[in-house]
Amino acid sequence: MRIVSRLLRPFMFVFERWQFRRKVKRLQKRDPFIY
Amino acid sequence: MPFEYFQGIEENERAGRFWLRGELPVVATKTIPASSEILWVPADTPGRASGVYKDVRITYKTNAYGWRSREIDPASPNKKIMFVGCSFTMGIGLPYEDVWTSVATDHIEAALSEPVEQHNFGYGAHGNDFFSMVVHQVLPILKPDLLVVLFTDLSRRTFFPKFGYRLALLPNYVPDDAPTLHRAFLELQSDSNDFMDFARQHSLIDAAAKLNGIPWVWQSKNGPQDWPPLAETAKYVRTDNMIDSPFPTYGPRATDEALKHDRARDGMHPGPLSNKAFGLATAQFILSRGFGAKEKA
């Protein structure tokens, strides 16, 4: 199990970054204002 | 906790007076100073001017505390309505008389046949936590006859980087001097946390209004899409005082052809048609709740 999670770790980083970017895009669409 | 953590706290009394009991918060900045008349603000600049107000001279007249509002006169015998909200309430890109708050006040004034004062505590870029602070501080001093709150996007937050100074955090604006802080704000955001914050700020406003014996009504700039279904929302916040029609959808998502092009001078904020519609709906809701009826009878 530990080996599997270690192998997956770099991909988790990529996945989390993708998730974060998706969240930010959605937020910026919801509130596009700068003021 | 050692006192040195709070060194410079007196600066808050001089600069911002945020959360200070018995004081009005000061929002004046270098770009929007107090007691002045300015023609442009950071969001509404000559380069962006377009639409029906393209060549209209819009004046942003601020009071002694930096709000786009009249001065406070506690001795005034007139009825007072206090409005709290974001740039929609401040009226970015709109002449003051076309902002929904002015439309609502004028309509109520005409219906009651007596002078009604508009006290506009709308301020751009800020979130619901800022609004509850404003209500908490201003309500006991101004003692209005009615409070109207137009909540904004639930993700916005106010951050106090040092005593006396505030930093508005919102998804699309990255402050030049605080990009890491903005990134942290985005990392921390979650829809659940946003809703809990909304419930917190809404409840604080409700408590402050009850404590001061002032009726209040509310709506949100995006309307029902900001919250869970009403039955669910009602389990968390008071909904019997919710203005029955939301701020009209304008821009590309609008179904009405006229509202598709209804923009303020900055090309982003709502224009005169949606402001008029919401102002009238607000006034009618307020009047239907018996505002001013007691004295008349």
Side-chain angles (χ1 to χ4, degrees):
Chain A
M1 197 60 205
R2 251 164 76 181
I3 296 168
V4 174
S5 69
R6 273 197 183 176
L7 284 170
L8 280 175
R9 206 168 292 163
F11 299 102
M12 280 308 286
F13 174 74
V14 174
F15 174 69
E16 277 171 9
R17 206 171 53 178
W18 172 78
Q19 236 182 358
F20 176 71
R21 281 187 186 161
R22 218 170 127 227
K23 178 176 95 171
V24 172
K25 258 192 188 170
R26 189 175 56 89
L27 268 182
Q28 290 177 336
K29 203 176 155 196
R30 194 174 82 184
D31 187 21
F33 296 90
I34 54 157
Y35 205 74
Chain B
M1 194 174 273
F3 183 70
E4 58 262 33
Y5 284 126
F6 305 106
Q7 262 179 13
I9 193 166
E10 324 78 54
E11 182 66 5
N12 189 41
E13 277 170 65
R14 195 196 62 78
R17 300 181 194 162
F18 305 123
W19 287 105
L20 206 59
R21 288 191 300 155
E23 295 285 347
L24 295 169
V26 181
V27 289
T29 57
K30 271 183 199 157
T31 41
I32 310 180
S35 308
S36 36
E37 282 187 39
I38 47 173
L39 299 176
W40 304 96
V41 291
D44 177 28
T45 51
R48 284 188 194 181
S50 60
V52 285
Y53 293 118
K54 192 174 189 297
D55 301 311
V56 174
R57 186 186 157 93
I58 295 173
T59 315
Y60 297 91
K61 196 176 171 198
T62 57
N63 68 11
Y65 295 85
W67 302 93
R68 192 189 189 189
S69 186
R70 64 193 300 144
E71 299 295 344
I72 291 175
D73 174 14
S76 164
N78 297 333
K79 278 208 162 54
K80 301 181 188 106
I81 304 183
M82 175 178 168
F83 294 91
V84 180
C86 60
S87 49
F88 278 42
T89 305
M90 187 185 179
I92 295 288
L94 288 172
Y96 199 58
E97 60 274 16
D98 288 352
V99 184
W100 67 271
T101 56
S102 301
V103 175
T105 311
D106 291 348
H107 192 78
I108 293 168
E109 199 169 51
L112 300 182
S113 318
E114 63 169 299
V116 177
E117 290 180 10
Q118 172 192 173
H119 289 269
N120 191 323
F121 284 85
Y123 205 82
H126 287 71
N128 300 334
D129 54 355
F130 186 77
F131 306 164
S132 71
M133 180 194 81
V134 171
V135 170
H136 166 74
Q137 286 182 260
V138 177
L139 223 55
I141 299 171
L142 180 66
K143 293 189 172 61
D145 297 276
L146 180 80
L147 166 70
V148 185
V149 182
L150 183 65
F151 288 99
T152 189
D153 191 86
L154 310 195
S155 68
R156 295 183 178 188
R157 291 290 182 281
T158 311
F159 186 71
F160 300 95
K162 57 180 181 171
F163 287 115
Y165 299 92
R166 68 184 197 278
L167 180 69
L169 293 165
L170 59 169
N172 246 323
Y173 175 71
V174 184
D176 290 340
D177 51 348
T180 342
L181 194 71
H182 186 260
R183 164 88 193 195
F185 152 71
L186 291 174
E187 291 274 10
L188 275 172
Q189 189 277 340
S190 83
D191 295 339
S192 156
N193 191 50
D194 282 357
F195 181 72
M196 296 305 157
D197 185 74
F198 169 68
R200 179 161 55 220
Q201 310 311 338
H202 196 291
S203 306
L204 200 149
I205 291 173
D206 191 41
K210 273 195 189 121
L211 197 66
N212 290 283
I214 293 157
W216 77 291
V217 297
W218 65 278
Q219 196 24 279
S220 171
K221 81 172 165 79
N222 293 332
Q225 70 178 57
D226 271 358
W227 336 291
L230 199 59
E232 197 63 40
T233 304
K235 292 179 191 169
Y236 295 85
V237 298
R238 196 179 146 195
T239 51
D240 66 298
N241 59 343
M242 186 179 90
I243 299 168
D244 45 9
S245 55
F247 204 97
T249 307
Y250 68 98
R253 286 192 299 120
T255 43
D256 189 310
E257 203 51 44
L259 286 175
K260 277 191 194 298
H261 309 286
D262 186 48
R263 301 270 190 183
R265 189 172 67 177
D266 69 329
M268 274 200 95
H269 284 93
L273 299 177
S274 33
N275 268 274
K276 194 174 177 188
F278 186 64
L280 287 176
T282 304
Q284 274 153 10
F285 181 76
I286 291 167
L287 291 167
S288 74
R289 312 264 303 179
F291 179 69
K294 240 184 257 170
E295 294 87 336
K296 261 193 144 183

